[in-house]
């Protein structure tokens, strides 16, 4: 049996964490064992991984960038668990995993889920450029020391990693993010219960956005677009799901625009499927992504999506067929596409149906998990 230890910074309901939960749940448990380690709270997905048969280990590292302490705690777990491979995702976890894997003499696999070192991404997120350059240097140095192998969640991410982190093509795999179809299927009555709980009127047209509430996700663009169509769409409501530093200010903006009764802010949900089923269209104007699981989930659920023209979005959404693409940062264009979908039920159906077919074929766990299994088998074989 091949044993993989995974390291995340936390087990919040982020896209990479949700995708891995779906992947390990669909993997052959007679051939693969997974242990999930994480550095800091929150612990949201701990139960999901437990249900998938994974041991979860909280390392309780109290300060970010405390890579030495974190690596020491991870090494102790590696000595106990004796895995074949150490896999990581997200920057603090990547640095920690490489330091620990080198000390333990284990192969290290970095799962690339973001393009965070691109200058445009740094500007979009409002991160200090000097701090990000230091972090990029540390990432490159630890990757070289650990002889890291890489898995990129999109072609765009792979290209960014080559230029920014020195990831060599021969050591890099492209495996798209995966969606477990059971995770986006609501039980009978669940979507009606959600609409009733939120107080949505019968027949209300509902827009949905899911994502961490910070500047990079551009919730303000979606909220501005909704405000511009609200008067002409009196039946329309907007559900926004996510935590983040901008949540309070977004609620205030909605109230100032007179939309407090028609915008519904939800910090976190255990199950996304009822909200996908309750919605009519999905908005995602993000300015920084690797390959958003939220968009793949919406497509898999048959929702028409409106996304910004980021390279990873363009890689998986065909404008006019499986979704609608708008210039990033352009609320006017987003509002125009919202009008289009609101007015045309046939268009919503055709785009949603094409999106679901495409997503199931390319991004379901059925399509993606065999690629992970083959990779793990090859890397474990090389180390034996």
């Amino acid at each position: 049996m091949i044993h993989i230890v995974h390291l995340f910074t936390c087990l919040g309901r982020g896209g990479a964490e949700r995708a891995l939960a779906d992947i390990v749940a669909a993997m052959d448990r007679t051939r693969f064992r997974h242990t999930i380690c994480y550095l800091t709270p929150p612990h949201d997905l701990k139960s999901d991984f437990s249900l998938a048969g994974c041991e979860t280990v909280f390392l309780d590292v109290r300060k970010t960038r405390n890579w030495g302490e974190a690596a020491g705690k991870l090494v102790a777990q590696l000595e106990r668990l004796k895995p074949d491979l150490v896999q990581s995702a997200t920057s603090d976890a990547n640095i920690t995993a490489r330091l620990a894997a080198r000390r333990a003499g284990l192969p290290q696999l970095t799962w690339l889920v973001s393009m965070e070192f691109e200058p445009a991404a740094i500007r979009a997120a409002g991160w200090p450029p000097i701090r990000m350059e230091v972090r990029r240097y540390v990432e490159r140095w630890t990757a070289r020391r650990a002889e890291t192998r890489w898995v990129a969640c999109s072609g765009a991410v792979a290209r960014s990693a080559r230029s920014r982190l020195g990831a060599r093509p021969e050591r890099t795999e492209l495996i798209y993010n995966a969606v477990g179809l059971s995770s986006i299927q609501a039980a009978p009555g669940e979507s009606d219960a959600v609409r009733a709980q939120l107080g949505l009127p019968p027949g209300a047209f509902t827009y949905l956005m899911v994502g961490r509430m910070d500047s990079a996700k551009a919730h303000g663009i979606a909220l501005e677009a909704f405000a511009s169509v609200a008067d002409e769409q009196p039946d329309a409501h907007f559900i926004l799901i996510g935590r983040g530093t901008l949540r309070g200010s977004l609620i205030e903006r909605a109230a100032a625009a007179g939309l407090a009764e028609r915008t519904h802010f939800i910090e976190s949900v255990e199950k996304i499927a009822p909200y996908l089923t309750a919605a009519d269209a999905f908005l995602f104007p993000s300015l920084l992504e690797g390959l958003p699981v939220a968009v793949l989930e919406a497509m898999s659920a048959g929702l028409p999506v409106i996304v910004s023209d980021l390279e990873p979005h363009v890689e998986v959404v065909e404008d006019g067929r499986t979704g609608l693409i708008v210039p990033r940062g352009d609320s006017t264009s987003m509002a125009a596409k919202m009008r289009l979908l609101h007015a045309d039920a046939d268009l919503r159906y055709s785009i949603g149906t094409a999106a679901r077919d495409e997503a199931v074929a390319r991004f379901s766990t059925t399509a993606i998990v065999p690629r992970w299994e083959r990779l793990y088998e090859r890397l474990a074989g090389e180390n034996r």
Side-chain angles (χ1 to χ4, degrees):
M1 179 178 288
I2 297 171
H3 183 190
I4 305 98
V5 166
H6 302 264
L7 183 67
F8 280 107
T9 301
C10 69
L11 289 188
R13 295 186 183 279
E17 294 85 350
R18 297 204 312 278
L20 185 66
D22 283 343
I23 288 166
V24 299
M27 204 165 281
D28 185 347
R29 295 190 192 183
T30 67
R31 295 162 52 212
F32 300 94
R33 174 187 169 195
H34 301 270
T35 300
I36 313 299
C37 299
Y38 60 111
L39 304 175
T40 66
H43 315 273
D44 296 346
L45 290 181
K46 181 176 180 179
S47 60
D48 296 64
F49 283 111
S50 295
L51 287 172
C54 303
E55 178 185 356
T56 59
V57 180
F58 176 45
L59 298 180
D60 196 13
V61 177
R62 299 190 179 277
K63 293 183 180 179
T64 59
R65 298 186 297 280
N66 198 349
W67 302 311
E69 176 195 353
K73 290 186 173 184
L74 182 57
V75 167
Q77 294 298 325
L78 297 177
E79 291 173 349
R80 175 181 71 88
L81 295 164
K82 296 179 171 49
D84 299 285
L85 175 70
V86 181
Q87 180 173 321
S88 62
T90 66
S91 185
D92 283 321
N94 292 337
I95 293 168
T96 298
R98 293 173 195 142
L99 295 173
R102 179 173 169 79
R103 285 168 58 181
L106 290 167
Q108 199 279 321
L109 180 64
T110 294
W111 186 19
L112 297 161
V113 296
S114 176
M115 299 169 66
E116 61 190 327
F117 295 111
E118 292 296 323
I122 293 170
R123 289 193 299 272
W127 293 322
I130 293 177
R131 182 180 298 176
M132 291 302 294
E133 184 61 22
V134 170
R135 184 179 286 267
R136 186 173 75 91
Y137 173 83
V138 175
E139 284 249 27
R140 289 179 67 107
W141 183 81
T142 55
R144 286 196 301 270
R145 296 280 290 175
E147 298 182 339
T148 290
R149 290 182 179 269
W150 314 81
V151 172
C153 69
S154 68
V157 167
R159 288 187 288 275
S160 177
R162 286 197 294 270
S163 64
R164 304 294 171 183
L165 296 175
R168 301 205 306 269
E170 68 273 16
R171 298 181 69 83
T172 304
E173 299 274 341
L174 169 60
I175 304 179
Y176 285 119
N177 286 337
V179 174
L181 297 183
S182 62
S183 68
I184 51 91
Q185 292 173 348
E190 282 187 329
S191 61
D192 290 336
V194 162
R195 293 176 73 93
Q197 181 182 357
L198 295 175
L200 300 181
F205 188 96
T206 306
Y207 299 103
L208 174 66
M209 181 173 176
V210 180
R212 185 182 63 255
M213 292 188 181
D214 60 24
S215 58
K217 297 293 184 182
H219 288 77
I221 296 297
L223 194 57
E224 187 175 327
F226 180 62
S228 72
V229 303
D231 285 345
E232 61 201 78
Q233 299 178 14
D235 66 329
H237 286 246
F238 188 11
I239 301 173
L240 302 95
I241 300 175
R243 298 188 180 112
T245 56
L246 296 184
R247 185 172 184 272
S249 63
L250 290 167
I251 292 173
E252 291 175 359
R253 284 181 63 176
L259 297 172
E261 301 299 319
R262 296 169 60 187
T263 50
H264 310 273
F265 289 85
I266 304 170
E267 283 198 78
S268 181
V269 297
E270 290 189 8
K271 189 175 180 182
I272 194 62
Y275 296 87
L276 294 170
T277 307
D280 296 285
F282 190 85
L283 310 181
F284 207 76
S286 184
L287 306 174
L288 167 60
E289 293 297 332
L291 181 62
V293 171
V295 170
L296 301 184
E297 288 174 334
M299 293 173 66
S300 299
L303 272 180
V305 301
I306 305 174
V307 300
S308 58
D309 62 352
L310 290 180
E311 190 176 354
H313 294 166
V314 174
E315 191 172 331
V316 300
V317 176
E318 183 179 343
D319 190 29
R321 190 180 76 85
T322 62
L324 300 174
I325 298 175
V326 298
R328 70 198 76 174
D330 188 342
S331 63
T332 301
S333 294
M334 175 157 278
K337 300 300 184 183
M338 291 165 70
R339 291 185 182 97
L340 191 63
L341 289 181
H342 183 270
D344 194 336
D346 290 340
L347 180 64
R348 294 196 303 272
Y349 177 80
S350 66
I351 289 179
T353 300
R356 182 176 60 243
D357 292 346
E358 181 85 356
V360 169
R362 295 180 66 191
F363 311 120
S364 67
T365 50
T366 301
I368 296 299
V369 165
R371 299 195 60 188
W372 280 106
E373 291 180 337
R374 289 192 294 271
L375 176 61
Y376 290 148
E377 287 171 338
R378 187 171 76 248
L379 294 182
E382 291 175 0
N383 197 48
R384 290 174 175 171

